[in-house]
Amino acid sequence: MSGIGRPLLELDHVERMFGGSWLGRLGGDNVVRAVDDVTLSIAAGEAFGIVGESGSGKTTVGRMIVRLLDPTAGAIRFEGQDITRLRGGALLAYRRSVQMVFQNPYLSLNPRRRVRDMLLDAYRIHHLASGRDAEERVAALMEMVGLRRTMLDRYPHEFSSGQRQRIGIARALSVEPRLIVADEPVSALDVSVQAQVLNLLRGLQEELGLTVVFISHDLRAVSFLCSRVAVLYLGQVMEVAPRRALVERAAHPYTQALMGSMPSLAPGSGITREVIRGDIADQQPPPGGCVFAPRCELRRRLGDPDRCLTERPWPRELSEGHAVACHFADAEARPDTDARPEATGAAAGPTTPTTPTMVGISDPTRVPAVTSTGATT
Amino acid sequence: MNVIRRLWRIRSARVGVVLAVLLLTTAILGPMLLPLDPNAIDVRARFAGPSTAHWLGTDDLGRDTFTRLVHGSRMSLFIAALSALLGTLLGVTLGVITGFLGGWVDVAGMRVVDLFFAIPTLLVAIGIVALFGPSATTTILALGIAYTPLYARLVRGTVVSVRSRTYVDASRVLGARGVRLLRTDILPGIVPIALVQTTALLGFALVDEASLGFLGLGVQPPDASWGQMINAGRQFIFQAPWLTLIPGFAVILAVFSINLIGDGLRDALDPRASQRVGDT
């Protein structure tokens, strides 16, 4: 399952701003653009990873998918239907299809409710089952996540963190959803139980044919679970690639730096790694340019080209399913030439657009625009 | 219940509970067991000191102070309980509605609360008594309404904080909303704070009933309440100081008992305390 099939979920130029009343916005108060023109598409049955450091907007993306937040612009389509304006019964129906696993299992379970009541919620809310039938289903859920049905009458504080997260997963599964958004589901857990929960998620994903959007700052966990990965930085997509492509030939300087921060056990890999200077909030990115420019190692090596500050790099396709939002991502191959854009044109231009949904770009107007400017520079 | 067991483990709270049980028993059973009529006038025995016939002496009309104290305890505790209950009901309702709905309902509700906040509680109560005339019922109404703003603000704040917890998000994602969300996740979250606050109100209400009674705006003679007795004894404070001191002492004892329970409840409901118990 490498993302072949029609998209189950599409994010179409999604934007989310925080802060600032309309009055403050007039006065130019600092409005945070947590998610900035994100376009992604996720196929049914796929495990899709979203990676980024804190502040990258990855959690906001997840919360918008499950409708805990509404985007300020753009559309989120589930099976072709825009879900950002659903209300009432339609929203309730959507909630049956899409569920969430939360980051901190100590906060996501109500300490005053028994596990049984929490798991029965779904059946009561959606009138899926009642009485003995519901009891049976709840017991089955517990076994599905590796817990015993005798634990149903316990309160959350009687469980370990790993068990709690299993309960969180069971709750998400209770409505039999098609898509699960897992927002850092293991980062609050002990390292010793992280692997168990990741294995559980992967097993469930394969067994139930679930589509999983896995949000994490941990590239290892993401590459363990996901077949495709999107890298987010300051609310923008830097790179989208199949797992293998990302691991073997990450194109974006930011992704490369992330990869470098990942300890490797491969013999001879040594400790040559890119170091990201500064913090995500340190430097104000240039308006209109590339958000990563102030911290970009590649840009430094290329002699700080102005283009990074004046023109936003839109995602362009390097190879099938591999898109990168960088003007010079493939310039490194020919370090002597100063990032000649011909190669860019060859890579993305003439190739007939394969299934655009896979690439993660669904707005055709923007891709050629970038390529053409690239060709004329 | 877990909380009650934990409350019992706190020594001061235990003292408070024992006192409260004693007071309640007196208030409920006492009037039935005492032989004397609290309103029986005996001019031959005016201002009598303590004796076997009159344990705590008599007042200016020769009425038995102990009998009136016991009958008055029933009235005072009844008024305190009902006004605390009324304050709780109104405060929780208003607080939950404004905190949960948010938006303009919240803004409007809280502005009204602010308005009331500008006036001291007792003054609000006096105003309401002035509108409807003094009686036990008015006292309950007046105190209950006067306590509402403070309670509503407290509950609203708690609801707003509970509403943003992750487990509420989790329930929302499952499809819970409105009344269901209130019942499963939000109301249980405000119970600890409401328990402590209602207990505190009981104490306030006892004092405020006495204050209204002292001003002659509470229970009207010949009916006895602690506040009314303090008011009646005031005129003779130099001749017969026990007429004010004894009901005053009763108020202090009752408030003391309730405060002990309130403090104990606060500790017993402390989430950190329960975390400690839960983790082991």
Side-chain angles (χ1 to χ4, degrees), chain A residues 108-127:
Chain A
S108 67
L109 303 177
N110 186 340
R112 293 185 184 80
R113 300 187 72 204
R114 290 173 202 276
V115 175
R116 179 192 308 278
D117 291 323
M118 284 189 271
L119 293 182
L120 280 173
D121 267 356
Y123 303 115
R124 294 191 182 124
I125 292 166
H126 299 278
H127 308 291

Side-chain angles (χ1 to χ4, degrees), chain A residues 75-306:
Chain A
I76 299 175
R77 280 187 289 273
F78 184 79
E79 293 187 311
Q81 183 195 19
D82 186 1
I83 56 100
T84 54
R85 272 164 203 83
L86 292 182
R87 298 183 65 89
L91 179 59
L92 205 60
Y94 177 63
R95 296 215 179 283
R96 272 194 64 185
S97 308
V98 177
Q99 278 299 310
M100 187 160 199
V101 175
F102 291 84
Q103 173 173 9
N104 188 332
Y106 285 86
L107 301 177
S108 67
L109 303 177
N110 186 340
R112 293 185 184 80
R113 300 187 72 204
R114 290 173 202 276
V115 175
R116 179 192 308 278
D117 291 323
M118 284 189 271
L119 293 182
L120 280 173
D121 267 356
Y123 303 115
R124 294 191 182 124
I125 292 166
H126 299 278
H127 308 291
L128 297 177
S130 60
R132 282 212 60 80
D133 183 23
E135 287 290 324
E136 272 311 306
R137 290 215 209 179
V138 165
L141 275 177
M142 288 293 272
E143 277 153 21
M144 199 185 279
V145 296
L147 297 172
R148 276 173 283 121
R149 60 170 70 194
T150 48
M151 296 171 169
L152 276 170
D153 284 313
R154 294 194 192 166
Y155 287 94
H157 68 77
E158 298 173 74
F159 292 93
S160 69
S161 61
Q163 287 175 322
R164 286 183 191 217
Q165 197 54 297
R166 286 170 191 269
I167 295 167
I169 294 168
R171 175 174 58 191
L173 291 173
S174 60
V175 292
E176 295 174 17
R178 310 225 4 233
L179 175 79
I180 285 190
V181 177
D183 182 8
E184 301 261 20
V186 297
S187 57
L189 307 180
D190 283 347
V191 180
S192 56
V193 291
Q194 285 189 352
Q196 293 173 19
V197 172
L198 282 176
N199 274 322
L200 172 69
L201 275 173
R202 183 151 89 170
L204 289 169
Q205 190 247 334
E206 284 166 1
E207 199 179 314
L208 304 172
L210 283 172
T211 310
V212 176
V213 174
F214 183 79
I215 296 167
S216 180
H217 66 276
D218 184 355
L219 263 173
R220 278 176 311 152
V222 167
S223 52
F224 170 79
L225 201 68
C226 303
S227 51
R228 280 199 313 140
V229 181
V231 179
L232 245 59
Y233 183 81
L234 279 179
Q236 298 184 6
V237 177
M238 298 288 105
E239 187 164 11
V240 184
R243 171 189 32 201
R244 274 190 75 86
L246 200 74
V247 173
E248 287 167 9
R249 41 178 199 286
H252 198 284
Y254 177 62
T255 319
Q256 288 166 353
L258 278 184
M259 288 295 182
S261 70
M262 199 165 86
S264 168
L265 288 177
S269 65
I271 45 164
T272 47
R273 53 189 213 181
E274 308 259 342
V275 178
I276 314 184
R277 285 156 214 274
D279 191 70
I280 195 164
D282 267 2
Q283 293 117 324
Q284 201 64 35
C290 169
V291 284
F292 188 59
R295 293 168 76 186
C296 185
E297 185 65 26
L298 175 64
R299 177 165 179 268
R300 249 168 30 85
R301 279 205 302 272
L302 292 175
D304 293 333
D306 281 341

